[in-house]
Amino acid sequence: MLLESVWRTGLRSWNPIANKLLVLKHPRSFSVNSPVHGPRWQRYLRRTGYLGLGVGIIYGFDRQFNASAIGRNLRTLWACALITAEYKMNFTPEKSDQIPELHERVANIMFNLFTSNGGLYIKIGQAIGANAAFLPKPMQVKFASLFDDAPQIPYSEVLSVFTSEFGRPPSGPGGMFEYFDEHAVASASIAQVHKARMWPGPGEAEGKGQWVAVKVQKPAVAKQTEWDLGAYRIVMWLFEKVAFDLPVYFVVDFVSDHLRRELDFELEAENAQRTAAYVANDPRLSKTVYIPRVFPALTTKRIMTAEWIDGVRLSDRDAILRLMGELPGASRPLRGGTHAIMQPMVELFSAQMFLWGWVHCDPHPGNVLVRPHPAAPRTPQLVLLDHGLYVQLTEEFRRDWCAVWEGLLAGEWGVVDGVTRKWGVGMPDLFASAVLMRPVRLGRGRPQRDPTEERGKPLEEMTNYERSVMMKAKLKGFLIDTDRMPKVLIFLLRNMRMVQGNNKTLGSPVNRIKITGLSASRALARRTHADLRTRLYEYYHYAFFRAVMLSIDLAFWLARTRQWLWHTLGLGRDGMGFEDEIERSVRGLAKTSFGMDVGADAFDG
């Protein structure tokens, strides 16, 4: 027994595993307080080390092989937890005076999340920012600076994408192109563009191949997509059910589906070809708009090749004004001024909405080039880029959309009320103002009510908390049945917002509302299979509509005259255009009716 006791004692001193086995075998041999595992702090330190090692292994694997998708999701959930806690604890009547600071903190959290995660988060943030006018002012400011820009990926990653898609390098012996610039000319959140030269065709000399733009998807995007969209789904659910109590989750499936499509470059090439065919068949647009040719043989789901176009981006305002002769600096300015740019642009997107039912949803100024027309070098031509995001309108919706526009401009309450009820949209006045981007009060039989009666007391006497609650109630009253609401409205309103911003940036050279309204009305009057009585009524209705449009045209030309006069007198013309006046009216309507403090740049494209 003595030898056995000595043996056990020595074994415990050097073999912890054997020690545990002995405890199990001879439990009575040890007291409860026996230091079998050492001091408690050592056990905690050891467990902390194991935990840190496990977290490090997961982090390294996630970063190296999973494009940091798990880390991005954890960052998202943490941001959501912070936002939810902020609103739950600080959005109270007692802290009404601190609500502006609350919105500022939340805006910073959201902006930092989108910019830190990048990729699809930039696209999601832009989708939210497209309707920034309905958000608190700090969020308007933050989302206005959320650009689709990102650092370039190294050429080694571009090479890996080419090898994966084509089994060949971009250039060099056996390469896809005769020349391929390893440095991207532009880099966005999901892809970057390189300039390349194709191999010469039959009969062409070396170095005479066509120049092309090669769009390469960043490798991390494919790994991050489903993780990001899953996080987006959770975020929207939390915002609706926990944080804000607003109907926002209903758009998740629709938006997610279109973001996935935007990552398929073969689909983007098909979109470009389809739009090019529409433009070519339009006698007017075919002379003013161009869609770059794509090369299907050099296009895959992650690489797209299109012809290279030299031009000035619409986002470079001063360069555009010089090109069109409205600023000094161009040796041979193009004719027509900025009017010759915006007229075809508004006509193009009006045709997409009202005639084709096929709508480009990302017409921001970086996606539009202006160049001298190849067949008429003194005439400008618009070049539309980036065809990844389109929506297809059903024939029923297209006709309803035309009817809504015509009814809004003619002030026909019955038409607008009927369509908006069909769509599950309440508060037609608010809907009309959002569509036209101008204050609208619909009449013709609509019972008028003093807005202050609904609120119980004047807006100026309300606290920040009471204004926020009122605005939330207004927005919930706007979306009364999200199951019936056409989801394409999200992208259509985004499209129109951007076109309006482009027109404003160039000094409002065209009456955007008139051009859009006339296009909608003409599309309605084109029913060739309707009976004679219906067609006669539609043409009569169109003539009446034209008479109503005269008042809008008069207001536009008064604004243009004042703008010209101020410029002639050397007082400047910025902020004096027709779009600027409309925005001031909308901001006033938002302030007096909804308590919303809309920033001056909330409507920029």
Side-chain angles (χ1 to χ4, degrees):
M1 294 296 293
L2 178 64
L3 289 176
E4 182 180 359
S5 176
V6 172
W7 178 79
R8 288 174 180 169
T9 303
L11 185 63
R12 284 201 301 269
S13 66
W14 65 269
N15 194 336
I17 298 177
N19 182 33
K20 294 179 182 179
L21 293 175
L22 285 172
V23 169
L24 295 175
K25 184 176 180 181
H26 301 282
R28 298 177 183 175
S29 307
F30 301 92
S31 66
V32 175
N33 297 323
S34 177
V36 174
H37 301 289
R40 182 176 298 177
W41 68 268
Q42 288 185 351
R43 297 201 303 271
Y44 288 154
L45 181 63
R46 193 161 47 241
R47 292 169 184 171
T48 303
Y50 292 153
L51 178 62
L53 178 63
V55 170
I57 292 174
I58 294 174
Y59 173 80
F61 176 84
D62 183 47
R63 183 178 178 86
Q64 185 69 27
F65 302 103
N66 201 35
S68 299
I70 297 176
R72 288 152 56 86
N73 277 12
L74 292 176
R75 192 182 297 128
T76 300
L77 295 177
W78 175 247
C80 290
L82 289 177
I83 293 172
T84 302
E86 283 278 11
Y87 276 109
K88 287 296 183 183
M89 292 188 296
N90 299 315
F91 187 73
T92 63
E94 296 76 18
K95 298 181 179 180
S96 179
D97 293 340
Q98 302 175 23
I99 286 179
E101 290 77 11
L102 167 64
H103 291 323
E104 183 75 37
R105 293 195 300 272
V106 171
N108 287 329
I109 293 173
M110 295 178 69
F111 182 81
N112 292 335
L113 171 66
F114 291 138
T115 54
S116 298
N117 280 357
L120 279 187
Y121 277 77
I122 299 295
K123 297 290 184 183
I124 294 170
Q126 289 174 338
I128 297 173
N131 294 297
F134 295 99
L135 300 176
K137 191 171 183 178
M139 297 184 188
Q140 298 171 20
V141 175
K142 283 295 183 180
F143 281 108
S145 59
L146 192 62
F147 298 111
D148 191 9
D149 196 9
Q152 296 187 22
I153 58 173
Y155 178 70
S156 59
E157 295 188 32
V158 174
L159 180 61
S160 69
V161 175
F162 265 85
T163 303
S164 173
E165 296 296 299
F166 292 113
R168 299 163 59 186
S171 59
M176 297 295 298
F177 301 98
E178 184 181 24
Y179 168 81
F180 185 89
D181 191 343
E182 295 185 5
H183 299 282
V185 296
S187 179
S189 55
I190 64 173
Q192 63 188 39
V193 177
H194 295 256
K195 188 174 183 179
R197 185 175 60 233
M198 297 174 62
W199 290 101
E204 291 182 331
E206 184 177 349
K208 296 298 182 179
Q210 182 171 352
W211 287 101
V212 292
V214 184
K215 185 176 180 179
V216 182
Q217 189 175 116
K218 296 179 178 180
V221 171
K223 299 177 182 178
Q224 295 168 348
T225 298
E226 294 307 318
W227 288 90
D228 290 352
L229 293 179
Y232 168 59
R233 181 178 298 275
I234 295 173
V235 168
M236 298 299 277
W237 186 87
L238 289 173
F239 280 178
E240 176 171 323
K241 302 297 183 182
V242 180
F244 301 124
D245 189 29
L246 284 174
V248 294
Y249 187 77
F250 75 99
V251 304
V252 168
D253 288 334
F254 185 78
V255 172
S256 297
D257 180 56
H258 281 80
L259 288 176
R260 287 190 187 94
R261 294 182 188 183
E262 199 170 357
L263 301 179
D264 186 344
F265 291 172
E266 289 179 332
L267 184 59
E268 180 175 350
E270 294 174 5
N271 293 344
Q273 291 173 313
R274 181 175 176 180
T275 304
Y278 277 124
V279 170
N281 291 328
D282 189 300
R284 191 166 185 170
L285 292 174
S286 61
K287 299 176 182 177
T288 56
V289 177
Y290 184 73
I291 309 299
R293 176 191 172 198
V294 297
F295 297 89
L298 299 174
T299 296
T300 68
K301 289 187 178 298
R302 295 200 294 163
I303 296 176
M304 190 184 79
T305 305
E307 65 177 308
W308 179 270
I309 302 291
D310 287 311
V312 179
R313 290 189 183 270
L314 201 64
S315 53
D316 191 346
R317 178 177 181 270
D318 288 346
I320 289 290
L321 294 178
R322 282 193 294 270
L323 179 67
M324 304 310 299
E326 297 188 8
L327 279 181
S331 56
R332 286 175 60 85
L334 305 183
R335 299 189 183 99
T338 53
H339 180 277
I341 295 175
M342 285 309 306
Q343 179 79 21
M345 177 181 291
V346 179
E347 289 177 347
L348 169 65
F349 291 106
S350 297
Q352 290 184 356
M353 287 190 297
F354 303 126
L355 295 178
W356 307 341
W358 174 247
V359 187
H360 186 293
C361 297
D362 203 12
H364 69 76
N367 283 341
V368 181
L369 298 179
V370 181
R371 68 169 181 175
H373 196 294
R378 296 299 303 280
T379 303
Q381 184 184 60
L382 292 185
V383 181
L384 184 60
L385 309 175
D386 197 347
H387 299 270
L389 185 58
Y390 274 79
V391 291
Q392 174 70 64
L393 311 184
T394 66
E395 179 61 19
E396 180 182 4
F397 176 84
R398 186 192 66 80
R399 291 195 55 78
D400 286 342
W401 186 234
C402 293
V404 163
W405 261 88
E406 189 179 50
L408 289 175
L409 292 175
E412 295 189 344
W413 164 254
V415 173
V416 179
D417 183 55
V419 176
T420 53
R421 286 181 183 275
K422 175 182 177 181
W423 289 349
V425 176
M427 303 174 62
D429 283 353
L430 176 60
F431 178 77
S433 300
V435 169
L436 296 182
M437 297 305 299
R438 61 187 287 254
V440 175
R441 291 291 186 190
L442 295 169
R444 293 198 180 185
R446 181 191 179 191
Q448 298 296 321
R449 181 181 299 173
D450 183 2
T452 59
E453 294 179 3
E454 299 175 359
R455 294 192 297 262
K457 63 180 178 179
L459 183 66
E460 58 271 12
E461 297 179 9
M462 289 184 173
T463 64
N464 289 324
Y465 178 82
E466 290 171 334
R467 291 181 182 180
S468 298
V469 170
M470 183 199 70
M471 185 179 70
K472 181 188 290 189
K474 292 276 189 180
L475 293 178
K476 292 180 74 172
F478 178 69
L479 299 173
I480 58 177
D481 189 344
T482 55
D483 290 335
R484 286 190 287 138
M485 179 183 173
K487 310 305 184 292
V488 293
L489 282 172
I490 300 167
F491 289 115
L492 290 184
L493 294 177
R494 167 189 167 93
N495 173 293
M496 292 190 301
R497 281 272 319 284
M498 289 186 176
V499 173
Q500 185 227 11
N502 295 337
N503 192 36
K504 173 193 168 184
T505 299
L506 296 182
S508 308
V510 300
N511 188 342
R512 172 186 55 87
I513 295 177
K514 175 186 175 182
I515 298 171
T516 307
L518 289 176
S519 179
S521 188
R522 282 194 296 266
L524 277 178
R526 283 190 166 195
R527 284 203 296 183
T528 56
H529 300 294
D531 59 75
L532 179 60
R533 180 178 178 181
T534 301
R535 292 177 63 188
L536 288 175
Y537 171 78
E538 288 182 343
Y539 281 114
Y540 160 76
H541 189 70
Y542 175 65
F544 175 77
F545 168 79
R546 288 297 298 262
V548 174
M549 294 288 286
L550 288 177
S551 62
I552 297 176
D553 214 22
L554 178 61
F556 170 78
W557 284 110
L558 285 174
R560 290 291 287 174
T561 301
R562 183 170 59 253
Q563 192 177 21
W564 172 84
L565 183 61
W566 277 56
H567 181 63
T568 302
L569 296 176
L571 301 177
R573 64 177 180 178
D574 289 341
M576 294 295 297
F578 188 51
E579 300 284 7
D580 297 283
E581 292 190 0
I582 289 175
E583 288 184 9
R584 280 192 288 270
S585 298
V586 171
R587 292 199 300 272
L589 175 67
K591 185 71 174 179
T592 58
S593 298
F594 306 105
M596 297 164 54
D597 190 9
V598 180
D601 57 352
F603 302 102
D604 289 346

